[in-house]
Amino acid sequence: MHRLHHALLLVALLVAAPCADAALLDFSAQERQQIVSLGPWPPRIAPDPSNRVSGDAEAIALGARLFFDARLSPSNRIACVTCHQPDRGWTDGLPRARGMEELERNTPSLANLRQRRWFGWGGGADSLWMASLRPLLDPREFASSAAAVAALYARDADLACRYRRAFGRAPAEERGGEESVLVNTAKALAAFQETLTSGRTPFDEFRDALASGEPAAAARYPLAAQRGLRLFIGRGNCVACHNGPLFSNGEFGDVGVPYFVAPGRVDSGRHDDLQRLRASPYNLLGRHGDDGGASATATRHAVLEPRHWGEFRVPSLRNVATTAPYMHNGSVPTLRDVVLHYSTLDESRIHSSAQPLLVALRLAPEEVDELVAFLETLTDAAGADRPRPPMPAPCDPPAAQLK
């Protein structure tokens, strides 16, 4: 069944009148507390203090235009939307991302990015604008440069007009030159991506009904999903890492996925990315942040440790059913296969210094079905088919700018 049809079916199950076999499991007080802690949704989102145009309508409009513009790559072949496609849940459906070359890692979804503090599978960026800048300069992705980005504005009056509206001066007037134009371009892209949020799900309706003491409404949630949720917060201990309204603790872990990329090549995940982050002039400790480093606490205190080898970001589970394939390298094709991975986990693959949270769950077949049923209820009504945001109307520059 098409993923969107499946998601809409789940929503229909909740909004329909309660049927005769609707029932609510006898969740304990502790279980109810854990379930309630997985919301509410949507949460309140504050602007990014390190990005002065975060939440600014003009910057969002500029970022929207740039996101779909393949001219950000000198080859005119690669745009942000190449890998982050709205009709595929802001992913590309491939095991590994492809820019100018194939990369080592799977394309992550862009939903709900403002709620994170580390970006990328290994946390190689500490702000969304830094994460937006990195692929522009990577020769395997956009293969661009500060000069090439600045040249785009020089030959496109509409983009230059939008830049001026967002940042208060024309790109050619930036005191920091082409590098400032590059950083501001990334900040506009980040402002747009902050608007890509996921909606409410069948689980959220269930969670809110429990929280407000409405058992009849809670009983409309499918029993299989309730049993899967009980596994998720109980014996499976999935909630140890996938917690909070985002269903992620925002940190990193080794989950037993091999990190060999090719013969003689490994992807060490957090271990290498943390070093790259600390060495980058674009991190929050540098001069390009707009809050003087006030939001750089996590970066300032991040310490490289041996346990970081082979650790990758704990992803959000919101809309997880729409973003196959899974894991940092796209090596697990379906959501059922993800559950089976944890059920039959080879514990010897986990780095010896990683915290011992994971053990093979040894799930019965019906338990696998129930856990998948729960995870599928974390999908909102749009499913994988996110509507493409409308493009802003042409930008009319002030008359003085035309002289």
Side-chain angles (χ1 to χ4, degrees):
M1 183 181 292
H2 190 280
R3 289 178 295 182
L4 174 58
H5 292 168
H6 188 64
L8 293 177
L9 176 61
L10 288 170
V11 174
L13 285 171
L14 291 186
V15 299
C19 56
D21 61 351
L24 179 62
L25 294 183
D26 184 21
F27 290 104
S28 69
Q30 182 179 6
E31 287 175 323
R32 287 171 180 258
Q33 184 177 14
Q34 286 185 297
I35 293 168
V36 170
S37 75
L38 297 171
W41 192 265
R44 294 181 179 179
I45 305 299
D48 177 0
S50 75
N51 180 359
R52 67 186 185 279
V53 297
S54 174
D56 178 80
E58 298 291 354
I60 292 169
L62 172 60
R65 278 286 314 274
L66 292 167
F67 187 90
F68 294 93
D69 197 333
R71 295 175 301 165
L72 271 179
S73 170
S75 70
N76 292 329
R77 290 171 40 207
I78 309 298
C80 302
V81 74
T82 302
C83 293
H84 301 285
Q85 301 165 23
D87 58 351
R88 294 187 176 182
W90 298 109
T91 64
D92 55 15
L94 301 173
R96 297 181 183 181
R98 291 176 185 167
M100 297 301 293
E101 303 174 17
E102 185 178 67
L103 304 174
E104 290 92 359
R105 297 177 182 175
N106 177 255
T107 298
S109 174
L110 296 183
N112 311 314
L113 293 178
R114 179 66 194 99
Q115 299 175 61
R116 301 178 185 171
R117 65 176 177 179
W118 305 113
F119 299 85
W121 280 107
D126 57 0
S127 70
L128 182 50
W129 57 265
M130 181 186 177
S132 303
L133 186 154
R134 185 203 57 74
L136 297 177
L137 302 181
D138 192 324
R140 303 166 302 167
E141 297 191 54
F142 284 73
S144 192
S145 64
V149 171
L152 175 58
Y153 293 102
R155 64 179 186 269
D156 189 313
D158 186 75
L159 285 180
C161 170
R162 294 195 179 283
Y163 184 102
R164 187 184 192 100
R165 284 187 174 184
F167 295 101
R169 59 171 64 91
E173 298 171 351
E174 282 289 358
R175 289 187 289 272
E178 294 172 344
E179 185 177 39
S180 289
V181 174
L182 171 69
V183 171
N184 285 342
T185 295
K187 289 180 177 178
L189 284 167
F192 167 67
Q193 290 171 84
E194 288 172 354
T195 68
L196 307 180
T197 57
S198 63
R200 286 179 60 80
T201 70
F203 166 78
D204 295 312
E205 300 297 333
F206 172 72
R207 178 265 175 201
D208 290 357
L210 273 189
S212 58
E214 300 177 63
R220 291 197 287 266
Y221 191 55
L223 268 174
Q226 293 184 48
R227 295 189 184 102
L229 172 56
R230 174 168 271 169
L231 270 171
F232 185 88
I233 63 175
R235 183 163 63 85
N237 199 30
C238 312
V239 75
C241 295
H242 295 285
N243 49 48
L246 196 59
F247 285 84
S248 172
N249 62 8
E251 294 301 324
F252 306 87
D254 181 350
V255 297
V257 176
Y259 40 79
F260 288 98
V261 177
R265 285 175 53 212
V266 299
D267 183 351
S268 70
R270 181 63 168 159
H271 193 270
D272 278 353
D273 281 19
L274 181 54
Q275 295 178 78
R276 294 190 189 102
L277 168 65
R278 295 301 298 267
S280 173
Y282 303 112
N283 68 35
L284 290 175
L285 295 169
R287 62 186 179 86
H288 296 288
D290 293 321
D291 63 351
S295 56
T297 301
T299 306
R300 186 176 291 109
H301 295 291
V303 176
L304 186 68
E305 298 179 12
R307 67 176 178 85
H308 292 314
W309 184 274
E311 287 190 341
F312 293 89
R313 178 175 51 80
V314 175
S316 169
L317 297 183
R318 288 196 170 268
N319 281 349
V320 67
T322 72
T323 58
Y326 301 99
M327 305 302 185
H328 72 274
N329 58 2
S331 61
V332 181
T334 71
L335 195 55
R336 176 174 295 276
D337 291 322
V338 174
V339 174
L340 289 172
H341 167 81
Y342 290 105
S343 180
T344 61
L345 183 70
D346 182 354
E347 297 166 31
S348 68
R349 283 189 175 273
I350 299 176
H351 194 278
S352 60
S353 64
Q355 55 185 11
L357 284 176
L358 294 178
V359 295
L361 298 180
R362 308 299 179 200
L363 299 174
E366 61 272 18
E367 291 177 317
V368 173
D369 293 340
E370 290 161 354
L371 197 47
V372 171
F374 162 65
L375 294 171
E376 287 177 336
T377 69
L378 302 180
T379 302
D380 65 15
D385 290 330
R386 323 306 297 181
R388 178 169 173 154
M391 288 297 98
C395 180
D396 295 319
Q401 189 176 336
L402 298 175
K403 298 180 180 178

